[in-house]
Amino acid sequence: MPTFYEFFAGGGMARAGLGDGWRCTFANDFDATKASIYRENWGGEHLFEGDVAKIEVEQLPGEADLAWASFPCQDLSLAGCYRGLEGERSGTFWAFWELIRNLAREDRAPKIVTIENVYGILTSNDGLDFKAIATAFADAGYSVGAMVIDACHFLPQSRPRFFLVGARKNLAIPVHLQSDTPHTLWHPPRLLEAYSRLSDRVKRQWIWWDLPAPSAEVPTLVSIVEDQPMLVEWHTPAETRQLLAMMSAKNAAKMRLAQEAPGRQVGTLYKRMRVDEDGKKVQRAEVRFDKIAGCLRTPSGGSSRQTLVIVDGQRVRSRLLSPREAARLMGLPDTYNLPQKYNDGYKLAGDGVVVPIVAHLGRHLFGPLVRANAEAVLQAV
């Protein structure tokens, strides 16, 4: 059975995606609440609760087939003022990377290293953060490639995320796992532009990973809504009217169309600061009824929490998205134990990685890569 380390593990959502066919030998997270939920769902025998910078290489057992790292994204976005990899939180990537380098010095570097983060990593610090990470992989002896994968191909949520996958250069990479050219589904223009700025040396170690398109039917947004949600209350009619009053003419028109449509309509709404026609900043309620939820965001950093808008003809109800609904939007099963407090549950989901995306990578990239090299070793013997 292949093994993996899960750095910045949160509630263990990468572990959930890899499933029973993989064995976790080490995990870490510094957040006490997330660590507690990790233990509740997965056990804590392999969990180190603390800063990644305090991990000693001796704590990492054996030679893992995969190291996964969903390092903090705040400094790569507006919430962190775009400080990038020099920021206190996103800069923890370098502490993680030092562990990978130390493993390599002991001749037990992971066969595959994967990092996951926000789409903005491609442009933060004018692309220098992406260039620094890709160069670090190449310098450590990894062939490297990146993809942008949107959750909407698997779940009813708009959530494009950056995935960089490095394979140790001594690994044989099966032909069907790589392409001579980028794939429009996984390699959007912003990634191509970032790639163009890499050095020739790093480009020579670049791989256009070739994944199949997802084939499973995407669950509907209606199907994730709880009939009797926990930890949230329905807004009063007055509170719902206040939300409707905060809409621009464009968003009010979306509401009218939803009310005229047959059957129940489910939309999602975020409150955002916008500049009005007089140049003043005002708070607006922006709704979507395209059957896809907006990207989950944690309440920290000034982001609002996502609101559900349920329309049954002329009847309109609203409430916050529940933690269980947020977990469903990330692909966690209902058997997964969530925190007992609203903000803790919402944050755990919003900070996590989409479970079906990890499963797709495991099934179509990590697994075939590990198996191909295990077979090559057996044949050599």
Side-chain angles (χ1 to χ4, degrees):
M1 181 181 295
T3 60
F4 70 100
Y5 307 142
E6 188 178 12
F7 295 92
F8 312 100
M13 292 159 78
R15 182 169 183 166
L18 290 172
D20 295 337
W22 289 73
R23 181 167 61 91
C24 182
T25 60
F26 180 86
N28 101 283
D29 203 278
F30 78 99
D31 184 286
T33 300
K34 291 177 182 176
S36 174
I37 292 300
Y38 187 101
R39 293 189 192 96
E40 190 173 336
N41 285 280
W42 309 109
E45 63 274 14
H46 302 307
L47 178 67
F48 172 80
E49 182 182 337
D51 192 329
V52 68
K54 296 180 180 179
I55 299 172
E56 300 292 339
V57 71
E58 293 78 14
Q59 294 173 251
L60 305 176
E63 179 185 317
D65 292 295
L66 168 69
W68 181 283
S70 294
F71 66 95
C73 66
Q74 290 93 335
D75 295 308
L76 301 169
S77 64
L78 178 60
C81 300
Y82 300 108
R83 297 182 185 91
L85 295 182
E86 298 302 318
E88 180 181 356
R89 291 164 293 187
S90 297
T92 53
F93 165 79
W94 294 115
F96 155 73
W97 194 249
E98 186 60 23
L99 287 170
I100 300 299
R101 286 166 55 87
N102 287 336
L103 287 169
R105 294 185 184 105
E106 296 183 2
D107 198 29
R108 56 189 187 101
K111 295 181 179 67
I112 307 165
V113 179
T114 299
I115 63 170
E116 178 262 351
N117 217 288
V118 294
Y119 199 9
I121 196 171
L122 292 169
T123 53
S124 63
N125 282 332
D126 294 323
L128 292 178
D129 291 332
F130 167 75
K131 186 175 182 179
I133 291 175
T135 301
F137 271 71
D139 287 347
Y142 283 87
S143 299
V144 62
M147 295 162 283
V148 174
I149 306 179
D150 197 326
C152 70
H153 300 304
F154 303 85
L155 295 162
Q157 180 192 178
S158 172
R159 190 183 182 87
R161 284 296 186 268
F162 168 86
F163 296 83
L164 188 142
V165 180
R168 229 168 45 194
K169 286 183 67 176
N170 65 338
L171 296 185
I173 300 176
V175 173
H176 73 279
L177 296 182
Q178 52 187 316
S179 174
D180 293 333
T181 57
H183 192 298
T184 54
L185 183 60
W186 313 122
H187 307 122
R190 195 183 297 181
L191 174 55
L192 301 186
E193 183 178 351
Y195 163 80
S196 71
R197 297 176 180 175
L198 297 177
S199 69
D200 290 340
R201 180 179 62 83
V202 176
K203 286 179 180 177
R204 285 193 292 271
Q205 294 177 224
W206 186 266
I207 295 175
W208 294 112
W209 295 114
D210 192 10
L211 295 179
S215 57
E217 184 177 354
V218 177
T220 64
L221 183 58
V222 172
S223 71
I224 71 101
V225 175
E226 291 187 287
D227 291 329
Q228 296 179 320
M230 301 289 290
L231 304 180
V232 290
E233 299 288 341
W234 288 97
H235 292 156
T236 65
E239 289 170 328
T240 298
R241 287 194 297 271
Q242 184 179 12
L243 275 179
L244 299 179
M246 293 169 60
M247 291 184 178
S248 65
K250 179 180 178 180
N251 282 273
K254 292 180 185 179
M255 285 297 308
R256 288 194 295 272
L257 287 174
Q259 290 177 289
E260 294 167 2
R264 170 174 288 189
Q265 304 296 310
V266 177
T268 59
L269 176 151
Y270 270 119
K271 295 177 185 177
R272 304 187 192 280
M273 296 304 298
R274 300 299 187 197
V275 178
D276 67 10
E277 58 275 9
D278 297 322
K280 297 179 180 178
K281 286 187 175 182
V282 295
Q283 191 175 49
R284 292 293 192 190
E286 298 184 350
V287 70
R288 59 191 296 171
F289 285 99
D290 57 357
K291 305 185 187 305
I292 298 175
C295 181
L296 284 178
R297 296 178 174 87
T298 60
S300 59
S303 296
S304 67
R305 292 170 293 181
Q306 195 158 191
T307 295
L308 283 178
V309 179
I310 313 295
V311 179
D312 290 292
Q314 296 305 304
R315 186 189 185 201
V316 179
R317 294 180 296 160
S318 63
R319 62 169 170 81
L320 291 176
L321 191 75
S322 76
R324 179 57 66 190
E325 290 161 342
R328 290 174 178 175
L329 284 175
M330 298 299 290
L332 285 169
D334 285 355
T335 53
Y336 184 92
N337 294 316
L338 292 171
Q340 295 301 307
K341 295 182 179 179
Y342 179 91
N343 278 351
D344 291 341
Y346 199 96
K347 181 180 179 182
L348 182 138
D351 278 346
V353 60
V354 172
V355 172
I357 292 181
V358 181
H360 195 71
L361 288 168
R363 185 178 305 114
H364 298 292
L365 181 55
F366 305 152
L369 188 55
V370 170
R371 286 193 298 271
N373 283 273
E375 292 167 2
V377 170
L378 288 174
Q379 290 172 3
V381 173

mmCIF file of all heavy atoms in Angstrom, residues 169-197:
data_model
loop_
_atom_site.group_PDB
_atom_site.id
_atom_site.type_symbol
_atom_site.label_atom_id
_atom_site.label_comp_id
_atom_site.label_asym_id
_atom_site.label_seq_id
_atom_site.Cartn_x
_atom_site.Cartn_y
_atom_site.Cartn_z
ATOM 1 N N LYS A 169 13.087 12.785 -10.213
ATOM 2 C CA LYS A 169 13.590 12.640 -11.576
ATOM 3 C C LYS A 169 13.998 11.217 -11.917
ATOM 4 O O LYS A 169 14.052 10.847 -13.088
ATOM 5 C CB LYS A 169 14.764 13.591 -11.803
ATOM 6 C CG LYS A 169 14.342 15.058 -11.958
ATOM 7 C CD LYS A 169 15.516 15.947 -12.252
ATOM 8 C CE LYS A 169 16.111 15.658 -13.618
ATOM 9 N NZ LYS A 169 17.219 16.597 -13.940
ATOM 10 N N ASN A 170 14.279 10.387 -10.921
ATOM 11 C CA ASN A 170 14.655 9.005 -11.220
ATOM 12 C C ASN A 170 13.446 8.098 -11.436
ATOM 13 O O ASN A 170 13.595 6.916 -11.697
ATOM 14 C CB ASN A 170 15.540 8.432 -10.109
ATOM 15 C CG ASN A 170 14.805 8.321 -8.778
ATOM 16 O OD1 ASN A 170 13.813 9.008 -8.550
ATOM 17 N ND2 ASN A 170 15.299 7.464 -7.903
ATOM 18 N N LEU A 171 12.232 8.671 -11.341
ATOM 19 C CA LEU A 171 11.032 7.881 -11.581
ATOM 20 C C LEU A 171 10.731 7.814 -13.072
ATOM 21 O O LEU A 171 10.884 8.805 -13.800
ATOM 22 C CB LEU A 171 9.826 8.492 -10.863
ATOM 23 C CG LEU A 171 9.845 8.541 -9.333
ATOM 24 C CD1 LEU A 171 8.508 9.056 -8.828
ATOM 25 C CD2 LEU A 171 10.147 7.180 -8.729
ATOM 26 N N ALA A 172 10.285 6.658 -13.505
ATOM 27 C CA ALA A 172 9.811 6.513 -14.869
ATOM 28 C C ALA A 172 8.373 7.011 -14.925
ATOM 29 O O ALA A 172 7.526 6.569 -14.147
ATOM 30 C CB ALA A 172 9.886 5.053 -15.292
ATOM 31 N N ILE A 173 8.097 7.947 -15.824
ATOM 32 C CA ILE A 173 6.756 8.510 -15.935
ATOM 33 C C ILE A 173 6.069 7.902 -17.157
ATOM 34 O O ILE A 173 6.501 8.110 -18.289
ATOM 35 C CB ILE A 173 6.808 10.044 -16.053
ATOM 36 C CG1 ILE A 173 7.486 10.632 -14.810
ATOM 37 C CG2 ILE A 173 5.402 10.613 -16.222
ATOM 38 C CD1 ILE A 173 7.665 12.120 -14.861
ATOM 39 N N PRO A 174 5.033 7.101 -16.934
ATOM 40 C CA PRO A 174 4.331 6.484 -18.063
ATOM 41 C C PRO A 174 3.871 7.521 -19.083
ATOM 42 O O PRO A 174 3.483 8.640 -18.728
ATOM 43 C CB PRO A 174 3.141 5.796 -17.398
ATOM 44 C CG PRO A 174 3.594 5.530 -15.998
ATOM 45 C CD PRO A 174 4.463 6.703 -15.646
ATOM 46 N N VAL A 175 3.909 7.123 -20.341
ATOM 47 C CA VAL A 175 3.586 8.044 -21.435
ATOM 48 C C VAL A 175 2.179 8.616 -21.286
ATOM 49 O O VAL A 175 1.944 9.803 -21.562
ATOM 50 C CB VAL A 175 3.738 7.320 -22.790
ATOM 51 C CG1 VAL A 175 3.248 8.209 -23.929
ATOM 52 C CG2 VAL A 175 5.178 6.906 -23.011
ATOM 53 N N HIS A 176 1.227 7.800 -20.813
ATOM 54 C CA HIS A 176 -0.160 8.265 -20.763
ATOM 55 C C HIS A 176 -0.397 9.305 -19.675
ATOM 56 O O HIS A 176 -1.476 9.907 -19.627
ATOM 57 C CB HIS A 176 -1.119 7.090 -20.585
ATOM 58 C CG HIS A 176 -1.110 6.501 -19.213
ATOM 59 N ND1 HIS A 176 -0.162 5.597 -18.777
ATOM 60 C CD2 HIS A 176 -1.947 6.685 -18.155
ATOM 61 C CE1 HIS A 176 -0.412 5.252 -17.528
ATOM 62 N NE2 HIS A 176 -1.483 5.890 -17.125
ATOM 63 N N LEU A 177 0.584 9.540 -18.802
ATOM 64 C CA LEU A 177 0.422 10.539 -17.739
ATOM 65 C C LEU A 177 0.905 11.923 -18.154
ATOM 66 O O LEU A 177 0.755 12.876 -17.392
ATOM 67 C CB LEU A 177 1.179 10.094 -16.485
ATOM 68 C CG LEU A 177 0.706 8.810 -15.808
ATOM 69 C CD1 LEU A 177 1.530 8.542 -14.557
ATOM 70 C CD2 LEU A 177 -0.781 8.866 -15.477
ATOM 71 N N GLN A 178 1.484 12.060 -19.327
ATOM 72 C CA GLN A 178 2.028 13.342 -19.750
ATOM 73 C C GLN A 178 1.654 13.635 -21.195
ATOM 74 O O GLN A 178 1.364 12.733 -21.978
ATOM 75 C CB GLN A 178 3.547 13.352 -19.591
ATOM 76 C CG GLN A 178 4.261 12.187 -20.236
ATOM 77 C CD GLN A 178 5.730 12.158 -19.903
ATOM 78 O OE1 GLN A 178 6.409 13.182 -19.939
ATOM 79 N NE2 GLN A 178 6.248 10.981 -19.574
ATOM 80 N N SER A 179 1.655 14.908 -21.500
ATOM 81 C CA SER A 179 1.300 15.357 -22.844
ATOM 82 C C SER A 179 2.392 16.276 -23.379
ATOM 83 O O SER A 179 3.119 16.915 -22.610
ATOM 84 C CB SER A 179 -0.036 16.103 -22.808
ATOM 85 O OG SER A 179 -0.334 16.671 -24.061
ATOM 86 N N ASP A 180 2.500 16.337 -24.694
ATOM 87 C CA ASP A 180 3.476 17.242 -25.310
ATOM 88 C C ASP A 180 3.014 18.693 -25.252
ATOM 89 O O ASP A 180 3.830 19.610 -25.372
ATOM 90 C CB ASP A 180 3.718 16.852 -26.773
ATOM 91 C CG ASP A 180 4.409 15.504 -26.912
ATOM 92 O OD1 ASP A 180 5.143 15.123 -25.977
ATOM 93 O OD2 ASP A 180 4.201 14.831 -27.941
ATOM 94 N N THR A 181 1.731 18.875 -25.078
ATOM 95 C CA THR A 181 1.154 20.223 -25.085
ATOM 96 C C THR A 181 0.185 20.381 -23.920
ATOM 97 O O THR A 181 -0.335 19.387 -23.390
ATOM 98 C CB THR A 181 0.407 20.493 -26.401
ATOM 99 O OG1 THR A 181 -0.606 19.484 -26.570
ATOM 100 C CG2 THR A 181 1.365 20.469 -27.592
ATOM 101 N N PRO A 182 -0.081 21.601 -23.503
ATOM 102 C CA PRO A 182 -1.038 21.814 -22.407
ATOM 103 C C PRO A 182 -2.460 21.431 -22.807
ATOM 104 O O PRO A 182 -2.812 21.409 -23.984
ATOM 105 C CB PRO A 182 -0.911 23.311 -22.112
ATOM 106 C CG PRO A 182 -0.266 23.913 -23.308
ATOM 107 C CD PRO A 182 0.562 22.855 -23.939
ATOM 108 N N HIS A 183 -3.259 21.124 -21.805
ATOM 109 C CA HIS A 183 -4.655 20.746 -21.977
ATOM 110 C C HIS A 183 -5.518 21.915 -21.517
ATOM 111 O O HIS A 183 -5.347 22.417 -20.405
ATOM 112 C CB HIS A 183 -4.958 19.491 -21.150
ATOM 113 C CG HIS A 183 -6.269 18.843 -21.452
ATOM 114 N ND1 HIS A 183 -7.484 19.480 -21.256
ATOM 115 C CD2 HIS A 183 -6.577 17.608 -21.928
ATOM 116 C CE1 HIS A 183 -8.470 18.677 -21.599
ATOM 117 N NE2 HIS A 183 -7.946 17.531 -22.010
ATOM 118 N N THR A 184 -6.446 22.345 -22.332
ATOM 119 C CA THR A 184 -7.233 23.542 -21.998
ATOM 120 C C THR A 184 -8.020 23.385 -20.704
ATOM 121 O O THR A 184 -8.291 24.376 -20.017
ATOM 122 C CB THR A 184 -8.212 23.878 -23.140
ATOM 123 O OG1 THR A 184 -9.011 22.715 -23.438
ATOM 124 C CG2 THR A 184 -7.446 24.284 -24.400
ATOM 125 N N LEU A 185 -8.405 22.143 -20.357
ATOM 126 C CA LEU A 185 -9.191 21.939 -19.137
ATOM 127 C C LEU A 185 -8.371 22.192 -17.888
ATOM 128 O O LEU A 185 -8.875 22.714 -16.885
ATOM 129 C CB LEU A 185 -9.741 20.507 -19.115
ATOM 130 C CG LEU A 185 -10.656 20.144 -17.942
ATOM 131 C CD1 LEU A 185 -11.891 21.038 -17.907
ATOM 132 C CD2 LEU A 185 -11.061 18.675 -18.011
ATOM 133 N N TRP A 186 -7.074 21.845 -17.906
ATOM 134 C CA TRP A 186 -6.227 21.922 -16.719
ATOM 135 C C TRP A 186 -5.190 23.036 -16.771
ATOM 136 O O TRP A 186 -4.596 23.363 -15.738
ATOM 137 C CB TRP A 186 -5.495 20.596 -16.494
ATOM 138 C CG TRP A 186 -6.337 19.374 -16.596
ATOM 139 C CD1 TRP A 186 -6.158 18.317 -17.440
ATOM 140 C CD2 TRP A 186 -7.499 19.044 -15.814
ATOM 141 N NE1 TRP A 186 -7.119 17.372 -17.252
ATOM 142 C CE2 TRP A 186 -7.954 17.781 -16.261
ATOM 143 C CE3 TRP A 186 -8.188 19.699 -14.798
ATOM 144 C CZ2 TRP A 186 -9.077 17.158 -15.714
ATOM 145 C CZ3 TRP A 186 -9.310 19.072 -14.255
ATOM 146 C CH2 TRP A 186 -9.732 17.837 -14.710
ATOM 147 N N HIS A 187 -4.944 23.577 -17.942
ATOM 148 C CA HIS A 187 -3.844 24.540 -18.111
ATOM 149 C C HIS A 187 -4.365 25.825 -18.749
ATOM 150 O O HIS A 187 -4.190 26.049 -19.952
ATOM 151 C CB HIS A 187 -2.736 23.918 -18.982
ATOM 152 C CG HIS A 187 -2.267 22.580 -18.493
ATOM 153 N ND1 HIS A 187 -2.314 21.430 -19.260
ATOM 154 C CD2 HIS A 187 -1.753 22.207 -17.294
ATOM 155 C CE1 HIS A 187 -1.839 20.414 -18.572
ATOM 156 N NE2 HIS A 187 -1.496 20.855 -17.368
ATOM 157 N N PRO A 188 -5.004 26.688 -17.954
ATOM 158 C CA PRO A 188 -5.591 27.927 -18.483
ATOM 159 C C PRO A 188 -4.521 28.948 -18.861
ATOM 160 O O PRO A 188 -3.348 28.793 -18.517
ATOM 161 C CB PRO A 188 -6.446 28.428 -17.319
ATOM 162 C CG PRO A 188 -5.767 27.883 -16.106
ATOM 163 C CD PRO A 188 -5.221 26.546 -16.505
ATOM 164 N N PRO A 189 -4.919 30.020 -19.558
ATOM 165 C CA PRO A 189 -3.953 31.023 -20.021
ATOM 166 C C PRO A 189 -3.065 31.599 -18.922
ATOM 167 O O PRO A 189 -1.881 31.849 -19.149
ATOM 168 C CB PRO A 189 -4.849 32.099 -20.643
ATOM 169 C CG PRO A 189 -6.054 31.346 -21.119
ATOM 170 C CD PRO A 189 -6.276 30.269 -20.094
ATOM 171 N N ARG A 190 -3.614 31.800 -17.719
ATOM 172 C CA ARG A 190 -2.792 32.374 -16.660
ATOM 173 C C ARG A 190 -1.649 31.441 -16.267
ATOM 174 O O ARG A 190 -0.547 31.897 -15.967
ATOM 175 C CB ARG A 190 -3.655 32.680 -15.430
ATOM 176 C CG ARG A 190 -2.956 33.599 -14.416
ATOM 177 C CD ARG A 190 -3.786 33.820 -13.180
ATOM 178 N NE ARG A 190 -5.037 34.487 -13.470
ATOM 179 C CZ ARG A 190 -5.937 34.807 -12.526
ATOM 180 N NH1 ARG A 190 -5.699 34.496 -11.258
ATOM 181 N NH2 ARG A 190 -7.061 35.415 -12.854
ATOM 182 N N LEU A 191 -1.893 30.136 -16.307
ATOM 183 C CA LEU A 191 -0.827 29.180 -16.031
ATOM 184 C C LEU A 191 0.195 29.167 -17.162
ATOM 185 O O LEU A 191 1.412 29.106 -16.922
ATOM 186 C CB LEU A 191 -1.408 27.781 -15.831
ATOM 187 C CG LEU A 191 -0.403 26.638 -15.663
ATOM 188 C CD1 LEU A 191 0.573 26.906 -14.514
ATOM 189 C CD2 LEU A 191 -1.124 25.318 -15.430
ATOM 190 N N LEU A 192 -0.277 29.249 -18.398
ATOM 191 C CA LEU A 192 0.649 29.274 -19.532
ATOM 192 C C LEU A 192 1.553 30.504 -19.474
ATOM 193 O O LEU A 192 2.746 30.432 -19.778
ATOM 194 C CB LEU A 192 -0.135 29.260 -20.849
ATOM 195 C CG LEU A 192 -1.071 28.077 -21.082
ATOM 196 C CD1 LEU A 192 -1.667 28.135 -22.486
ATOM 197 C CD2 LEU A 192 -0.356 26.759 -20.872
ATOM 198 N N GLU A 193 0.982 31.634 -19.077
ATOM 199 C CA GLU A 193 1.781 32.852 -18.952
ATOM 200 C C GLU A 193 2.825 32.711 -17.851
ATOM 201 O O GLU A 193 3.983 33.112 -18.012
ATOM 202 C CB GLU A 193 0.875 34.046 -18.659
ATOM 203 C CG GLU A 193 1.614 35.367 -18.584
ATOM 204 C CD GLU A 193 0.696 36.544 -18.332
ATOM 205 O OE1 GLU A 193 -0.541 36.365 -18.381
ATOM 206 O OE2 GLU A 193 1.218 37.643 -18.066
ATOM 207 N N ALA A 194 2.412 32.115 -16.711
ATOM 208 C CA ALA A 194 3.364 31.916 -15.615
ATOM 209 C C ALA A 194 4.476 30.958 -16.033
ATOM 210 O O ALA A 194 5.656 31.174 -15.723
ATOM 211 C CB ALA A 194 2.637 31.373 -14.385
ATOM 212 N N TYR A 195 4.116 29.913 -16.758
ATOM 213 C CA TYR A 195 5.111 28.953 -17.253
ATOM 214 C C TYR A 195 6.118 29.641 -18.182
ATOM 215 O O TYR A 195 7.322 29.346 -18.134
ATOM 216 C CB TYR A 195 4.406 27.821 -17.991
ATOM 217 C CG TYR A 195 5.309 27.005 -18.880
ATOM 218 C CD1 TYR A 195 6.133 26.005 -18.354
ATOM 219 C CD2 TYR A 195 5.347 27.226 -20.260
ATOM 220 C CE1 TYR A 195 6.968 25.262 -19.165
ATOM 221 C CE2 TYR A 195 6.179 26.481 -21.079
ATOM 222 C CZ TYR A 195 6.987 25.516 -20.530
ATOM 223 O OH TYR A 195 7.819 24.780 -21.338
ATOM 224 N N SER A 196 5.636 30.559 -19.005
ATOM 225 C CA SER A 196 6.518 31.216 -19.982
ATOM 226 C C SER A 196 7.633 32.012 -19.313
ATOM 227 O O SER A 196 8.656 32.289 -19.940
ATOM 228 C CB SER A 196 5.705 32.136 -20.896
ATOM 229 O OG SER A 196 5.249 33.293 -20.193
ATOM 230 N N ARG A 197 7.446 32.358 -18.044
ATOM 231 C CA ARG A 197 8.440 33.165 -17.332
ATOM 232 C C ARG A 197 9.479 32.317 -16.605
ATOM 233 O O ARG A 197 10.401 32.857 -15.992
ATOM 234 C CB ARG A 197 7.735 34.079 -16.328
ATOM 235 C CG ARG A 197 6.794 35.097 -16.994
ATOM 236 C CD ARG A 197 6.050 35.921 -15.948
ATOM 237 N NE ARG A 197 5.146 36.883 -16.560
ATOM 238 C CZ ARG A 197 4.313 37.655 -15.890
ATOM 239 N NH1 ARG A 197 4.277 37.565 -14.559
ATOM 240 N NH2 ARG A 197 3.522 38.507 -16.518
#
